[in-house]
Amino acid sequence: MSAESPAPKRLVMVRQTSNVHAHENCAHTGIRRLMPDDGERLGSLMYEAYQGTVDDEGASLQEAIEEAKGTLSGKYGKVLYDASFTVETESNELASVCVITDYEKLQPLLAFSLTKPTHQKQGLARCLIEKSLLALNAANVPVLHLVVTQTNHNAIRLYKTLGFTDKN
């Protein structure tokens, strides 16, 4: 009988939505709002983005698709589509996504920020999070929360450069 490994420790971070300035290289042409019917493509992106990372829980592609569809159906609170964005590839896949929800414990919540490995280090996640912060600020929502695995150093570095701080 094998012992289950403990769940990874998570860090809660928060940022005010005011004083956001979109980067000059944020004029990507494939940016659009996330849509309720993006579940399957979001699941495929989730599966690919998590493979081999600290957030990889060994889920199958089908499980990732179910998780994505559940998210878009309210699993983590109602999706705030006016503040959730994606970038599409030329072949109609999702290259990067930022999903904002009204999760009851942390409102609003950056539920997912995902980028295909082949599209990382291009500023897509930064751009989409900035667009989300701008949209939330325009809607008079004062803060945005997120939860990140403590050992996901690249994500934490990005979030800190975007102005997120530890909530604790």
mmCIF file with all atom_site columns, all heavy atoms in Angstrom, residues 148-159:
data_model
loop_
_atom_site.group_PDB
_atom_site.id
_atom_site.type_symbol
_atom_site.label_atom_id
_atom_site.label_alt_id
_atom_site.label_comp_id
_atom_site.label_asym_id
_atom_site.label_entity_id
_atom_site.label_seq_id
_atom_site.pdbx_PDB_ins_code
_atom_site.Cartn_x
_atom_site.Cartn_y
_atom_site.Cartn_z
_atom_site.occupancy
_atom_site.B_iso_or_equiv
_atom_site.pdbx_formal_charge
_atom_site.auth_seq_id
_atom_site.auth_comp_id
_atom_site.auth_asym_id
_atom_site.auth_atom_id
_atom_site.pdbx_PDB_model_num
ATOM 1   N N   . VAL A 1 148 ? -1.815 29.949 -6.462  1.00 0.00 ? 148 VAL A N   1
ATOM 2   C CA  . VAL A 1 148 ? -0.736 29.373 -7.267  1.00 0.00 ? 148 VAL A CA  1
ATOM 3   C C   . VAL A 1 148 ? 0.038  28.372 -6.418  1.00 0.00 ? 148 VAL A C   1
ATOM 4   O O   . VAL A 1 148 ? 0.177  28.551 -5.202  1.00 0.00 ? 148 VAL A O   1
ATOM 5   C CB  . VAL A 1 148 ? 0.192  30.480 -7.829  1.00 0.00 ? 148 VAL A CB  1
ATOM 6   C CG1 . VAL A 1 148 ? 0.861  31.272 -6.722  1.00 0.00 ? 148 VAL A CG1 1
ATOM 7   C CG2 . VAL A 1 148 ? 1.212  29.922 -8.800  1.00 0.00 ? 148 VAL A CG2 1
ATOM 8   N N   . THR A 1 149 ? 0.508  27.310 -7.035  1.00 0.00 ? 149 THR A N   1
ATOM 9   C CA  . THR A 1 149 ? 1.361  26.333 -6.351  1.00 0.00 ? 149 THR A CA  1
ATOM 10  C C   . THR A 1 149 ? 2.658  27.033 -5.949  1.00 0.00 ? 149 THR A C   1
ATOM 11  O O   . THR A 1 149 ? 3.290  27.695 -6.771  1.00 0.00 ? 149 THR A O   1
ATOM 12  C CB  . THR A 1 149 ? 1.657  25.148 -7.290  1.00 0.00 ? 149 THR A CB  1
ATOM 13  O OG1 . THR A 1 149 ? 0.408  24.597 -7.733  1.00 0.00 ? 149 THR A OG1 1
ATOM 14  C CG2 . THR A 1 149 ? 2.465  24.074 -6.587  1.00 0.00 ? 149 THR A CG2 1
ATOM 15  N N   . GLN A 1 150 ? 3.042  26.879 -4.680  1.00 0.00 ? 150 GLN A N   1
ATOM 16  C CA  . GLN A 1 150 ? 4.216  27.591 -4.162  1.00 0.00 ? 150 GLN A CA  1
ATOM 17  C C   . GLN A 1 150 ? 5.501  27.275 -4.905  1.00 0.00 ? 150 GLN A C   1
ATOM 18  O O   . GLN A 1 150 ? 6.421  28.089 -4.910  1.00 0.00 ? 150 GLN A O   1
ATOM 19  C CB  . GLN A 1 150 ? 4.401  27.302 -2.677  1.00 0.00 ? 150 GLN A CB  1
ATOM 20  C CG  . GLN A 1 150 ? 3.439  28.041 -1.793  1.00 0.00 ? 150 GLN A CG  1
ATOM 21  C CD  . GLN A 1 150 ? 3.720  27.822 -0.322  1.00 0.00 ? 150 GLN A CD  1
ATOM 22  O OE1 . GLN A 1 150 ? 4.392  26.887 0.079   1.00 0.00 ? 150 GLN A OE1 1
ATOM 23  N NE2 . GLN A 1 150 ? 3.175  28.704 0.497   1.00 0.00 ? 150 GLN A NE2 1
ATOM 24  N N   . THR A 1 151 ? 5.581  26.117 -5.539  1.00 0.00 ? 151 THR A N   1
ATOM 25  C CA  . THR A 1 151 ? 6.802  25.762 -6.264  1.00 0.00 ? 151 THR A CA  1
ATOM 26  C C   . THR A 1 151 ? 6.742  26.128 -7.752  1.00 0.00 ? 151 THR A C   1
ATOM 27  O O   . THR A 1 151 ? 7.666  25.814 -8.487  1.00 0.00 ? 151 THR A O   1
ATOM 28  C CB  . THR A 1 151 ? 7.104  24.252 -6.115  1.00 0.00 ? 151 THR A CB  1
ATOM 29  O OG1 . THR A 1 151 ? 5.953  23.517 -6.524  1.00 0.00 ? 151 THR A OG1 1
ATOM 30  C CG2 . THR A 1 151 ? 7.464  23.909 -4.674  1.00 0.00 ? 151 THR A CG2 1
ATOM 31  N N   . ASN A 1 152 ? 5.690  26.810 -8.164  1.00 0.00 ? 152 ASN A N   1
ATOM 32  C CA  . ASN A 1 152 ? 5.576  27.269 -9.550  1.00 0.00 ? 152 ASN A CA  1
ATOM 33  C C   . ASN A 1 152 ? 6.247  28.645 -9.638  1.00 0.00 ? 152 ASN A C   1
ATOM 34  O O   . ASN A 1 152 ? 5.605  29.686 -9.743  1.00 0.00 ? 152 ASN A O   1
ATOM 35  C CB  . ASN A 1 152 ? 4.114  27.326 -9.990  1.00 0.00 ? 152 ASN A CB  1
ATOM 36  C CG  . ASN A 1 152 ? 3.973  27.527 -11.478 1.00 0.00 ? 152 ASN A CG  1
ATOM 37  O OD1 . ASN A 1 152 ? 4.888  27.985 -12.146 1.00 0.00 ? 152 ASN A OD1 1
ATOM 38  N ND2 . ASN A 1 152 ? 2.801  27.195 -11.993 1.00 0.00 ? 152 ASN A ND2 1
ATOM 39  N N   . HIS A 1 153 ? 7.565  28.632 -9.598  1.00 0.00 ? 153 HIS A N   1
ATOM 40  C CA  . HIS A 1 153 ? 8.345  29.863 -9.494  1.00 0.00 ? 153 HIS A CA  1
ATOM 41  C C   . HIS A 1 153 ? 8.170  30.784 -10.701 1.00 0.00 ? 153 HIS A C   1
ATOM 42  O O   . HIS A 1 153 ? 8.136  32.011 -10.535 1.00 0.00 ? 153 HIS A O   1
ATOM 43  C CB  . HIS A 1 153 ? 9.822  29.534 -9.277  1.00 0.00 ? 153 HIS A CB  1
ATOM 44  C CG  . HIS A 1 153 ? 10.041 28.686 -8.058  1.00 0.00 ? 153 HIS A CG  1
ATOM 45  N ND1 . HIS A 1 153 ? 9.782  29.134 -6.775  1.00 0.00 ? 153 HIS A ND1 1
ATOM 46  C CD2 . HIS A 1 153 ? 10.464 27.409 -7.924  1.00 0.00 ? 153 HIS A CD2 1
ATOM 47  C CE1 . HIS A 1 153 ? 10.041 28.183 -5.910  1.00 0.00 ? 153 HIS A CE1 1
ATOM 48  N NE2 . HIS A 1 153 ? 10.460 27.110 -6.581  1.00 0.00 ? 153 HIS A NE2 1
ATOM 49  N N   . ASN A 1 154 ? 8.037  30.231 -11.895 1.00 0.00 ? 154 ASN A N   1
ATOM 50  C CA  . ASN A 1 154 ? 7.843  31.075 -13.083 1.00 0.00 ? 154 ASN A CA  1
ATOM 51  C C   . ASN A 1 154 ? 6.528  31.841 -13.001 1.00 0.00 ? 154 ASN A C   1
ATOM 52  O O   . ASN A 1 154 ? 6.475  33.034 -13.307 1.00 0.00 ? 154 ASN A O   1
ATOM 53  C CB  . ASN A 1 154 ? 7.892  30.249 -14.361 1.00 0.00 ? 154 ASN A CB  1
ATOM 54  C CG  . ASN A 1 154 ? 9.279  29.756 -14.680 1.00 0.00 ? 154 ASN A CG  1
ATOM 55  O OD1 . ASN A 1 154 ? 10.274 30.315 -14.224 1.00 0.00 ? 154 ASN A OD1 1
ATOM 56  N ND2 . ASN A 1 154 ? 9.360  28.692 -15.455 1.00 0.00 ? 154 ASN A ND2 1
ATOM 57  N N   . ALA A 1 155 ? 5.457  31.171 -12.587 1.00 0.00 ? 155 ALA A N   1
ATOM 58  C CA  . ALA A 1 155 ? 4.160  31.831 -12.464 1.00 0.00 ? 155 ALA A CA  1
ATOM 59  C C   . ALA A 1 155 ? 4.207  32.896 -11.368 1.00 0.00 ? 155 ALA A C   1
ATOM 60  O O   . ALA A 1 155 ? 3.730  34.020 -11.560 1.00 0.00 ? 155 ALA A O   1
ATOM 61  C CB  . ALA A 1 155 ? 3.065  30.815 -12.178 1.00 0.00 ? 155 ALA A CB  1
ATOM 62  N N   . ILE A 1 156 ? 4.794  32.566 -10.241 1.00 0.00 ? 156 ILE A N   1
ATOM 63  C CA  . ILE A 1 156 ? 4.878  33.530 -9.146  1.00 0.00 ? 156 ILE A CA  1
ATOM 64  C C   . ILE A 1 156 ? 5.674  34.759 -9.572  1.00 0.00 ? 156 ILE A C   1
ATOM 65  O O   . ILE A 1 156 ? 5.287  35.897 -9.284  1.00 0.00 ? 156 ILE A O   1
ATOM 66  C CB  . ILE A 1 156 ? 5.484  32.871 -7.881  1.00 0.00 ? 156 ILE A CB  1
ATOM 67  C CG1 . ILE A 1 156 ? 4.493  31.828 -7.329  1.00 0.00 ? 156 ILE A CG1 1
ATOM 68  C CG2 . ILE A 1 156 ? 5.835  33.918 -6.827  1.00 0.00 ? 156 ILE A CG2 1
ATOM 69  C CD1 . ILE A 1 156 ? 5.057  30.943 -6.241  1.00 0.00 ? 156 ILE A CD1 1
ATOM 70  N N   . ARG A 1 157 ? 6.757  34.553 -10.290 1.00 0.00 ? 157 ARG A N   1
ATOM 71  C CA  . ARG A 1 157 ? 7.559  35.684 -10.780 1.00 0.00 ? 157 ARG A CA  1
ATOM 72  C C   . ARG A 1 157 ? 6.708  36.574 -11.697 1.00 0.00 ? 157 ARG A C   1
ATOM 73  O O   . ARG A 1 157 ? 6.723  37.801 -11.577 1.00 0.00 ? 157 ARG A O   1
ATOM 74  C CB  . ARG A 1 157 ? 8.802  35.170 -11.502 1.00 0.00 ? 157 ARG A CB  1
ATOM 75  C CG  . ARG A 1 157 ? 9.765  36.248 -11.937 1.00 0.00 ? 157 ARG A CG  1
ATOM 76  C CD  . ARG A 1 157 ? 11.097 35.732 -12.487 1.00 0.00 ? 157 ARG A CD  1
ATOM 77  N NE  . ARG A 1 157 ? 11.105 34.417 -13.081 1.00 0.00 ? 157 ARG A NE  1
ATOM 78  C CZ  . ARG A 1 157 ? 11.569 33.306 -12.477 1.00 0.00 ? 157 ARG A CZ  1
ATOM 79  N NH1 . ARG A 1 157 ? 12.053 33.363 -11.262 1.00 0.00 ? 157 ARG A NH1 1
ATOM 80  N NH2 . ARG A 1 157 ? 11.545 32.137 -13.103 1.00 0.00 ? 157 ARG A NH2 1
ATOM 81  N N   . LEU A 1 158 ? 5.953  35.967 -12.610 1.00 0.00 ? 158 LEU A N   1
ATOM 82  C CA  . LEU A 1 158 ? 5.079  36.740 -13.492 1.00 0.00 ? 158 LEU A CA  1
ATOM 83  C C   . LEU A 1 158 ? 4.056  37.521 -12.674 1.00 0.00 ? 158 LEU A C   1
ATOM 84  O O   . LEU A 1 158 ? 3.875  38.723 -12.877 1.00 0.00 ? 158 LEU A O   1
ATOM 85  C CB  . LEU A 1 158 ? 4.355  35.824 -14.491 1.00 0.00 ? 158 LEU A CB  1
ATOM 86  C CG  . LEU A 1 158 ? 3.234  36.483 -15.296 1.00 0.00 ? 158 LEU A CG  1
ATOM 87  C CD1 . LEU A 1 158 ? 3.775  37.581 -16.208 1.00 0.00 ? 158 LEU A CD1 1
ATOM 88  C CD2 . LEU A 1 158 ? 2.458  35.449 -16.085 1.00 0.00 ? 158 LEU A CD2 1
ATOM 89  N N   . TYR A 1 159 ? 3.390  36.844 -11.742 1.00 0.00 ? 159 TYR A N   1
ATOM 90  C CA  . TYR A 1 159 ? 2.354  37.510 -10.954 1.00 0.00 ? 159 TYR A CA  1
ATOM 91  C C   . TYR A 1 159 ? 2.927  38.672 -10.151 1.00 0.00 ? 159 TYR A C   1
ATOM 92  O O   . TYR A 1 159 ? 2.312  39.735 -10.058 1.00 0.00 ? 159 TYR A O   1
ATOM 93  C CB  . TYR A 1 159 ? 1.652  36.513 -10.036 1.00 0.00 ? 159 TYR A CB  1
ATOM 94  C CG  . TYR A 1 159 ? 0.940  35.400 -10.777 1.00 0.00 ? 159 TYR A CG  1
ATOM 95  C CD1 . TYR A 1 159 ? 0.922  34.110 -10.277 1.00 0.00 ? 159 TYR A CD1 1
ATOM 96  C CD2 . TYR A 1 159 ? 0.291  35.623 -11.987 1.00 0.00 ? 159 TYR A CD2 1
ATOM 97  C CE1 . TYR A 1 159 ? 0.273  33.079 -10.943 1.00 0.00 ? 159 TYR A CE1 1
ATOM 98  C CE2 . TYR A 1 159 ? -0.358 34.592 -12.670 1.00 0.00 ? 159 TYR A CE2 1
ATOM 99  C CZ  . TYR A 1 159 ? -0.365 33.341 -12.134 1.00 0.00 ? 159 TYR A CZ  1
ATOM 100 O OH  . TYR A 1 159 ? -1.009 32.321 -12.799 1.00 0.00 ? 159 TYR A OH  1
#
